[in-house]
Each structure stands twice: as C-alpha cells, then as structure tokens.
Amino acid sequence: MSQFFDGAPVEDAERLHRLLDGIPLALELAAGCALPPARIADRLGGRHGLLPAAADRTAKVRAVVGLGHELLAPRERVLLRRLAVFAGAFDAELAAAVCGDGGILRRAEVPALLDRLVAARLVTGSYALRGVVREYAAERLREAGEDDRLRDRHLKAVCAAYEECHERVSLARRLPWRERVRYLRRARALAAECDAALAWAVRAGAAAPGLRLARAATAMGVACPREALERLPALGAPGELADCANVLLGCARGVVEPVVAGVEGLRADGYSYWLGVGYNAAVRVCFARGRPALGRRYLRELEDAAAAGDDLVALAGARLARGDLALLAGEARAARGCAGDALALGREAGDPRVVVAALRRLASVAEAVGDEEGAARHRGRALPLLRAMGGRPALTGRGEGGEELVGGGI
C-alpha cells in the first residue's frame, strides 16, 4: 500500500494502488487530490471514469493529472495552465509577474494560489512543474488561446528580472554583500527561464527584449544559447543595443570584427558600463584570435576609460587581463601584483564575482611557481564565495566560473 494513503482503509488504498499499477508519481498526484482513495478510484476507473481501458503508464499518470485539474478552483486552473510557460524552477515573484494580468488573476493573489497548487501536488515544493503536468497545462493554455500572450509576458518578465539582478549586482555601489549574492543566485537559478525566453524572442522576432535579456544574463555570468546570440542581432536593434549585439555575436563566434564594431559604436557616446564590458570582451577575443597588438591597444584604452569612469569592475577585468599576459610571459611577480590589485578593486566594489576571479588568478600564479600550498589556500578562500553564488564548486584550472564573470561577464 502506498505511504500516501496511510490511515485510509486498506482495501481502498490497495484498490487504487492496483488501478494505478503502483506508479509512484501517479500515487503522489492522487494524494494531492484531497479525496479518499475510494473516491479517487471511482472517478478514475469504471465505465465512465477518466482512465481508459488498457491505459499505459503515461495515460494513467495523465488521468490523475486530469482529475487533479478537475478538482481545482477556477482561478487555480488559470494559474496552472499559465505556469506551463516556465521551463524549470521559478519563484513566486516571477510567477506573479508572468501570470497575474490584473484581470482574471491579480498579481497579489498568485503566491497564495501557487501554494494551493503545491498542496495539490501539481507544482513541486521548489516551484516547478513535472514534465507530464507541464504538458497537460500547455494543452490547456493553447485551448484557452493564451499561449503567445503568456510567452510574451514571460519574455518581458524574465528580461526585467535579469536587468534588476544586473542593476543590483553590477551597478549598485553600496549594496550589502549578502544582497548581491542573493541576486547572483537568482540569476543562476532562472537560467532555464532565460533559455526559454530567448528561444521565444527568436521565434517571435522580438529583437529588443531578447537582446536586452541576453546582455543582462551574460553580464550575470549566465551562458545564453548560441542560436539566440546568432539570430537575434539579425532581427535588428536600435542604438546601444545594436552595438552590444555585435559584442555578443563576436564573443559567441569567437570572431574579432563584430566585437570591434560593437566597441567602436559604444565608445562614440562616451563611457558607459557596457563600453567597459565591450572593451574587456575585445581584449580577450583579440588575444585568443592572434591579434595581440589590437588587444593591447584595447587594454590600454580600457584601463584609461574605466579609471576615468570610476568603473571598478571593468578596471579589475583589465588588471586580470594584464596579469594573464604577465603570467604567459613568465613574469609571476607582475602577475601576482595584477591579481592582488583586482582583488582589492573587487572588495572595494563589493562584487563577489571579481573577488572569486582574482583569487583564482592568485592560485594560478602560485601554481606556476610551484607553491601548491598557496594555490590551495587561495582556492579555499574562493570556494565558499562561489558556492554562495550558486556556482560550480570545482576551482582547478581555468574557465570554471570565475574570470568569465569579470567586466560584465561577456
């Protein structure tokens, strides 16, 4: 007998267990129906039940989802179908922004309705829909004619969420460290929503919100699907977005020319955060593609512009790039000094991403001179920060969640 029906008459629980072939997910969903097992079995089985004869495992799970849906209140049904636009785990704030339209559902009532769906086992405790529930809800969403409208709302809400995270982490000077980490974790937790929203932006031809989302997500260290980075710029974008699109596209392709075009366009309007991002990207792409002279030129310009613009994060990115060059040239002392400067800048800016990147560089320098104990010490200092941000715990080697976050993450 399933543990979901402890306390019910044994014969009723066993009957339902047999009807559902003991499928754990089907039984868990049945428990969320808040009916006695005998009533659930009656509604599912029999001549006019929801469960077709000779139903396979998938059909049995879907039948229980259908019953759970029938038992929901009208507003709960509306919320469930609208939640189908979410690709993974979401939070109550984002659910309210996407699903609360001020008409059928008000934003303020979404959190309470969401908790009722959790109680009904149709939404998991971490606020996500299981695959079979999402498929069922998506069918209801299409039937209601709301699919395109909800996906537009999802794109705009995810874009707004990432832009808020970017503003709070990258631009707010006096935000407490704990708050910055909270926004970093939120950005990473919503990565699946970012992918889904960008896919819809490409499909709907929504260049501006798609590119705004792509640059904000990339600035937060969240990798965007290459297809979106390839296709969104071709849809057209105005002003600064077009220049940022060139930087994003060049980085996605590993090609110098689009990045250079983006930087030249951005600097025509004077210094901005995104120019610092573009400069950092240009430096790295130029050196990676065998254009060191151009890379050094952009590195000098980045240092001057970031210092004049008081952009501590971009300046830290420049120090790290200069330290990388020093280490490649065998100048360990200079590389250590650059990484130390970047660490101080990261602490002054209050940006844990910069601190992690600088500590990893210090570990690389220590490794290069045979100081394994020092390398382990620096990595040990970075590890709790990386975990706090929701990043991967591995800190050996390069490219594992540190340097790609500096200078806006591009």
Side-chain angles (χ1 to χ4, degrees), residues 345-386:
L345 287 165
R347 286 174 172 159
E348 184 180 350
D351 195 322
R353 301 169 299 174
V354 180
V355 173
V356 167
L359 288 170
R360 294 186 68 250
R361 292 308 206 290
L362 287 169
S364 295
V365 174
E367 245 175 10
V369 298
D371 181 8
E372 295 296 335
E373 184 178 337
R377 185 172 63 253
H378 291 308
R379 290 199 176 99
R381 291 164 64 196
L383 187 57
L385 296 177
L386 189 58

Side-chain angles (χ1 to χ4, degrees), residues 243-259:
D243 297 319
C244 289
N246 270 326
V247 174
L248 289 167
L249 182 60
C251 290
R253 292 177 175 171
V255 177
V256 172
E257 287 72 21
V259 179

Side-chain angles (χ1 to χ4, degrees), residues 18-45:
R18 286 194 302 273
L19 186 66
L20 296 176
D21 287 340
I23 303 168
L25 177 55
L27 290 165
E28 181 182 351
L29 291 168
C33 292
L35 291 175
R39 290 278 308 279
I40 297 172
D42 289 342
R43 295 286 294 272
L44 291 174

Side-chain angles (χ1 to χ4, degrees), residues 10-100:
V10 173
E11 60 274 15
D12 292 343
E14 287 181 345
R15 177 187 165 207
L16 182 60
H17 196 280
R18 286 194 302 273
L19 186 66
L20 296 176
D21 287 340
I23 303 168
L25 177 55
L27 290 165
E28 181 182 351
L29 291 168
C33 292
L35 291 175
R39 290 278 308 279
I40 297 172
D42 289 342
R43 295 286 294 272
L44 291 174
R47 195 176 198 181
H48 304 292
L50 296 171
L51 196 57
D56 60 14
R57 293 174 66 88
T58 301
K60 291 188 176 187
V61 175
R62 278 183 60 87
V64 181
V65 174
L67 175 58
H69 180 264
E70 275 189 16
L71 296 171
L72 295 176
R75 281 187 173 82
E76 293 166 358
R77 293 183 190 176
V78 172
L79 179 57
L80 181 63
R81 74 179 184 234
R82 291 181 175 182
L83 292 176
V85 299
F86 289 102
F90 49 87
D91 54 39
E93 181 182 353
L94 189 62
V98 174
C99 303

Side-chain angles (χ1 to χ4, degrees), residues 188 221 356-357 360-361 364 379 382-383 386-387 389-405:
R188 294 191 177 195
V356 167
R360 294 186 68 250
R361 292 308 206 290
S364 295
R379 290 199 176 99
L383 187 57
L386 189 58
R387 283 177 173 156
M389 291 187 290
R392 294 184 295 276
L395 283 169
T396 56
R398 296 287 300 278
E400 293 165 350
E403 71 273 21
E404 68 270 26
L405 299 176

Side-chain angles (χ1 to χ4, degrees), residues 69-135:
H69 180 264
E70 275 189 16
L71 296 171
L72 295 176
R75 281 187 173 82
E76 293 166 358
R77 293 183 190 176
V78 172
L79 179 57
L80 181 63
R81 74 179 184 234
R82 291 181 175 182
L83 292 176
V85 299
F86 289 102
F90 49 87
D91 54 39
E93 181 182 353
L94 189 62
V98 174
C99 303
D101 58 7
I104 302 174
L105 287 184
R106 297 190 307 277
R107 289 181 65 155
E109 66 183 331
V110 168
L113 292 172
L114 190 56
D115 286 340
R116 288 181 212 164
L117 293 179
V118 172
R121 313 288 178 101
L122 292 168
V123 173
T124 69
S126 57
Y127 290 160
L129 270 64
R130 298 177 177 90
V132 66
V133 178
R134 184 181 295 107
E135 290 171 9

